[in-house]
Amino acid sequence: MRTVKRLAPLFAALLLIAVPLVAQTTADLTGQVTTEGKPLPGVTVTISSATLQGVRTTITGENGGYQISGLPPGDYTVKFELSGLQPVTKHVPMQLSQTARADADLKVSAVTEAITVTASTPSVLETPQVAATFTSKQMESLPVARTPIAAALLAPGVNNNTLSANQFSISGSPGYDNLVMVNGVVVTENVRSQVQNLYIEDAVQETTVLSGAISAEYGRFTGGVVNSITKSGGNNFSGSFRDSLSNPSWTGLTPYVGQAKPVDHLDKVFEETLGGYMLKDRLWFFGAGRQAKTGVQRSTTAVTSTTNPFRNLAALNYTNTTDQKRLEGKTTGQITPKHSLVASYLRIKENEGNNAFTPIYDAASLVQRSLPNALYSYHYNGVINSNTLLEAQYSRRTFAFVNSGSTFTDLVKGTLLLDRSTSPNTRFNSPTFCGVCATETRDNGEYVVKGNYYLNTKAVGNHNFVGGLDNFKEKRFAENHQSGSDYRMFVTTAFFDTAGKIYPQFNPSNTFIRWTPIFRKGSNDKITTQSAFLNDKIDFNQHWSFNLGVRYDKNDALDADGTVASKDSAISPRLTAIFDPFANGRHRFTASYNQYASRIVEGIATSNQNAGNPGAIDYAYKGDIINPTSNPTQTPLDQAITQAFAWFASQCGGIVNGTIDASKCPSSLLRPGGARNIPGYNAVFENRLKSPSVGEIALGYGAQLGNSGFAKIDLISRKWKDFYGSQVLQSNPKANTPLGIPVDLQRIINTSDIKRSYKAVQLQGQWNPHRSQIGLNYTWSKLRGNDEGENAGSGPIANLPLAQYYPEYAGYSQRLPEGYLTADQRHRLRTWFAYDVLASRYGNLNASVLQSYDSGRPYATVFSADLLNYTGAPKLAGYVGGGPSTGNYYLCRDCNRTAGSTHTDVALNYALPISRAQLFIRATVTNLFDEHALVGYDTGRAAATGILSLGTQVQAAGNAAGFTAFNPFTTTPVAGTNYAKASNFGQATAFTAFQVARTYGGSVGIRF
């Protein structure tokens, strides 16, 4: 009863505060003080650090335990004092989002001089979570980029084998489903969850990666957490200036024959930092800046044919340029000695030249756009008493696309053309999207409050209670025009003359026109997750500790039409047991069971909103053949488009105000099996849409090595459930649309038919003998499933279960076979060695080497099945849309693998002291031995040339290869009879398919 009364004020405070919990930007310190092996209450524990304003003090409880929470990460001095006993001082590193431990044994002595001890239990062993932390000092010494993304990719359990750039797969997760933060602010954009570069490298203090047994304080993911914090000011002034140098010509050539020689252009990235105080121990400031004008060599798609001279096109080299300026400001202030406030701000102003949705044929597909980006956060920390701490945070991130698309809206220059003879379809004539329409924004905001309460008792051990509330909201405004004219033309093929001019072929057999109108102006959607959590870290005795946590997440997803996509909730237990066999912190065994629930993702929640969403209605082209194979360069590009639209207009009410109202087209022009998507009418959300979730079992063992090292191994097993799915059955009701076009109603559901599972051994270790740093992170893993659940263009998508999505057309088992998924990688190794070669008045020289090994990744043998010829079955009369036009047929999901690859990277860091400053030089060589391995692939390499007809022996039109059609429900295709692999299958189609060749880089600057 006494315990309940002592906890009551904390829970009352949490209930009264109506703001939510923010992601952790601090660290915790815990420990126990003894004398002659017995718990020692009443000991004063005082901590100090260059990163902490003033000092923090607490008193050990009746069991000799203490806890100090909400500490800024850094190196700390911990003093233990009690009258009549010899004081003890310890030096302890405190790492972001982790718990450090400092125990002390005070002895009776007349000598008052303190005993100084440098050893302490590594945070990675004390923390119940599977965690890895990389400081700015480590990242500076190693031959890697000094970014949070690069730090995350050093950690075990993490790879970037995802379908979109700037993503991770953490412990087998989809690329979109991780929590990535800087200063407690979520820095992933709303649609694909790509990580935004909201940091300045020299301002990043450290990055922590959580890949398993993750505390209930964190939610809205099924993968893991990447958490970075930037530097603060201090009681001393410090700063830096850096010029990072790169040049495309400093990168060698890959074995790809078509790679052009890199341009010789020196790129510079300037960084500045300055921190200090306005009032010592009361008000600190920190500021940073970054200016970069860089360029990356790109090329358009080359076409080579030995049989058709008009199917040859040389690649056009171009430079994707970025002119970017970043600015950061941060203040840390003590309102009183027990209450502090940290405010941070980071803004990016970016202009990008020659952006493109690839693959492309021409320069007309390039875009000049702006990408403004910013984050804001305010973090309050209040010490209520020696056992109670209150933290609160408000954060916001804003992001926009400005002029990202075509600058033309007319039918000729504003229409995007796609070549259907390539896979994926190569784009040309006009950029993707509309750059002169409404600006798209993708923002988020979060309110958080949490309380820490420490209870120290002899009867039930030491308890550190953490409870909080969290309110996270995403919103997006978009008028998602798919092209400047709201039309796309999918042409049969494209021909080229010797000057590189493009001549599209419009063949009525397989050319179609897609109308992508926006029927209702854009508005903001609102996707909110409200959460509460409670976590109790129990040190039961010297051998046993437990982490008992639970998180509650409530989703409220409202699209821009005001339609409710989800009102659901999930409870996620987080349970860990820790066993210390020798009661000295040097060996730890862990066992845990955890559940993690994702958020409702934007692309699913808004999949049927009308406001700002484009329709997609396919009309068959039935006009004359334009640029026939017998005379492929008869009609130039602009004239061909004009001629095709003239025929289309003649069928659909003519051209009015420079465009065609395709709603006036006769229904006979609708393409059989083509897109019939009219937002707001095609889909409904079945019941209450749940978040995908994952269950995890983890076992671990960690050991301290000497006074400066550790090794830890974790076994992790995960299984996902409740992925998003799309259901279209004959029994579904039909949709009546404003255009009078009948469509099959699609239900957005959660499905158990989509499988994903992960098993891994994650190993990490570090050892820091004199003047050296040795590290090793290794992952053995298997990731299996029957669908990816995301793609590069849309991010997370609704899967298409065999028994749920047009099963009579597309329910054949080889459309979703189980196998190893894209992010599967059996072995991933990162090991490094750094050594201080010189440490004298002549300067400091550090040399490091990083060795990497990546085993090969799986890719499929897959081709497109033509489903349009499944005719004559009366049971299919229940579909007004005619079923899907195509579907993938996987001969295998994972029977091919890229080659394994190794590369060796080295760095030299030299610093010359000049008074209070240091001049420094950093030189790096990536892929020192210029090793070449084919590590990338795309659907072009995995596409076969056979065309399938389902349920008929009639060849599909345009199947010049002459393969025999087959029924995928009943027949296994035979190579040479039913299909053939493309001539470039398993080969590189661009130099980017190889790992980066030997690259030189470096930076120079001054710091003080």
Side-chain angles (χ1 to χ4, degrees), residues 118 189 428 796 1001:
T118 57
E189 54 82 35
F428 62 104

Side-chain angles (χ1 to χ4, degrees), residues 791-911:
N791 60 37
S794 303
I797 58 174
N799 301 269
L800 308 176
L802 297 179
Q804 302 280 327
Y805 183 77
Y806 290 104
E808 298 85 359
Y809 287 95
Y812 51 92
S813 60
Q814 288 306 112
R815 185 169 61 80
L816 287 178
E818 188 168 347
Y820 294 111
L821 298 175
T822 298
D824 176 73
Q825 190 170 39
R826 198 68 66 249
H827 306 281
R828 181 179 172 88
L829 171 70
R830 300 293 184 268
T831 183
W832 60 90
F833 173 72
Y835 181 69
D836 292 330
V837 179
L838 177 68
S840 71
R841 61 190 180 92
Y842 300 107
N844 301 313
L845 177 64
N846 177 272
S848 66
V849 58
L850 172 67
Q851 181 63 46
S852 301
Y853 172 70
D854 295 275
S855 60
R857 295 167 53 198
Y859 63 94
T861 301
V862 58
F863 46 85
S864 180
D866 178 2
L867 306 179
L868 296 180
N869 295 307
Y870 193 31
T871 59
K875 60 183 178 181
L876 298 184
Y879 295 118
V880 297
S885 60
T886 58
N888 286 330
Y889 187 97
Y890 285 85
L891 290 170
C892 63
R893 181 176 289 278
D894 54 11
C895 56
N896 312 291
R897 279 191 182 262
T898 58
S901 62
T902 62
H903 59 90
T904 305
D905 309 327
V906 296
L908 288 175
N909 287 275
Y910 175 71

Side-chain angles (χ1 to χ4, degrees), residues 6 25 38 63 99 116 305 407 621 672 781 838 858 860 869 939:
R6 295 172 71 176
T25 58
K38 298 179 181 180
N63 199 35
T99 299
T116 300
S305 174
T407 58
Y621 173 75
S781 64
L838 177 68
N869 295 307
T939 54

Side-chain angles (χ1 to χ4, degrees), residues 713-716 758-763 778-781:
I713 186 170
D714 293 283
L715 284 67
I716 295 178
Y758 174 80
K759 299 182 186 302
V761 177
Q762 299 179 6
L763 173 66
Y778 167 76
T779 305
W780 175 95
S781 64

Side-chain angles (χ1 to χ4, degrees), residues 471-624:
N471 187 340
F472 179 75
K473 180 181 291 185
E474 292 180 296
K475 65 178 182 178
R476 177 191 180 206
F477 173 89
E479 286 186 3
N480 193 16
H481 294 269
Q482 297 297 289
S483 65
S485 68
D486 285 338
Y487 279 98
R488 293 182 172 193
M489 288 182 162
F490 291 76
V491 300
T492 304
T493 189
F495 298 112
F496 318 98
D497 64 17
T498 55
K501 293 183 178 179
I502 305 174
Y503 297 81
Q505 184 184 84
F506 289 78
N507 190 319
S509 64
N510 57 2
T511 291
F512 65 92
I513 299 170
R514 176 168 292 171
W515 184 38
T516 58
I518 290 180
F519 296 100
R520 180 180 172 187
K521 286 186 174 295
S523 182
N524 282 313
D525 58 38
K526 295 178 182 179
I527 303 173
T528 303
T529 303
Q530 295 177 310
S531 308
F533 67 86
L534 181 64
N535 204 84
D536 182 12
K537 172 64 166 58
I538 308 169
D539 292 327
F540 187 70
N541 55 38
Q542 291 183 319
H543 294 283
W544 285 99
S545 298
F546 302 94
N547 190 79
L548 307 179
V550 64
R551 184 179 179 93
Y552 171 81
D553 294 296
K554 180 180 180 296
N555 294 311
D556 189 355
L558 199 69
D559 71 17
D561 296 335
T563 302
V564 176
S566 175
K567 269 189 176 294
D568 193 62
S569 60
I571 295 176
S572 305
R574 313 283 176 89
L575 310 172
T576 302
I578 306 170
F579 178 60
D580 185 343
F582 303 107
N584 59 8
R586 298 187 67 87
H587 299 269
R588 299 285 179 90
F589 293 89
T590 60
S592 68
Y593 173 75
N594 297 275
Q595 291 183 7
Y596 312 111
S598 180
R599 71 196 196 281
I600 299 294
V601 295
E602 197 274 346
I604 300 299
T606 63
S607 56
N608 195 45
Q609 78 178 29
N610 196 338
N613 264 1
I617 305 169
D618 290 347
Y619 296 92
Y621 173 75
K622 297 182 179 181
D624 295 333

Side-chain angles (χ1 to χ4, degrees), residues 126-305:
E126 180 63 29
T127 299
Q129 305 171 120
V130 181
T133 295
F134 299 92
T135 66
S136 59
K137 184 177 180 181
Q138 284 178 294
M139 299 301 291
E140 178 77 24
S141 67
L142 297 177
V144 295
R146 298 168 294 110
T147 67
I149 294 176
L153 292 174
L154 283 176
V158 183
N159 68 51
N160 60 346
N161 303 330
T162 54
L163 297 174
S164 294
N166 283 1
Q167 287 183 336
F168 317 105
S169 176
I170 302 181
S171 293
S173 71
Y176 69 84
D177 213 9
N178 298 294
L179 184 65
V180 185
M181 299 170 292
V182 174
N183 288 339
V185 183
V186 175
V187 294
T188 48
E189 54 82 35
N190 305 31
V191 176
R192 301 179 187 88
S193 292
Q194 293 172 300
V195 181
Q196 304 293 288
N197 297 326
L198 282 159
Y199 54 79
I200 296 169
E201 288 89 330
D202 270 350
V204 176
Q205 180 175 325
E206 62 183 62
T207 297
T208 291
V209 180
L210 308 177
S211 58
I214 301 171
S215 166
E217 294 181 57
Y218 299 97
R220 305 188 306 274
F221 65 88
T222 64
V225 179
V226 179
N227 195 3
S228 300
I229 190 171
T230 62
K231 298 175 182 177
S232 300
N235 287 331
N236 295 302
F237 290 98
S238 61
S240 64
F241 172 80
R242 181 191 298 263
D243 182 7
S244 296
L245 307 172
S246 62
N247 191 320
S249 68
W250 295 353
T251 298
L253 296 176
T254 69
Y256 184 69
V257 175
Q259 183 180 1
K261 183 179 180 181
V263 297
D264 184 4
H265 181 271
L266 186 63
D267 293 323
K268 297 183 177 183
V269 178
F270 298 103
E271 297 174 66
E272 311 86 25
T273 69
L274 178 63
Y277 64 91
M278 287 177 273
L279 294 172
K280 281 193 174 183
D281 277 330
R282 292 299 301 270
L283 185 59
W284 294 348
F285 72 89
F286 179 80
R290 185 183 189 273
Q291 307 84 40
K293 291 185 178 181
T294 59
V296 179
Q297 181 185 355
R298 309 286 188 199
S299 62
T300 60
T301 297
V303 180
T304 303
S305 174

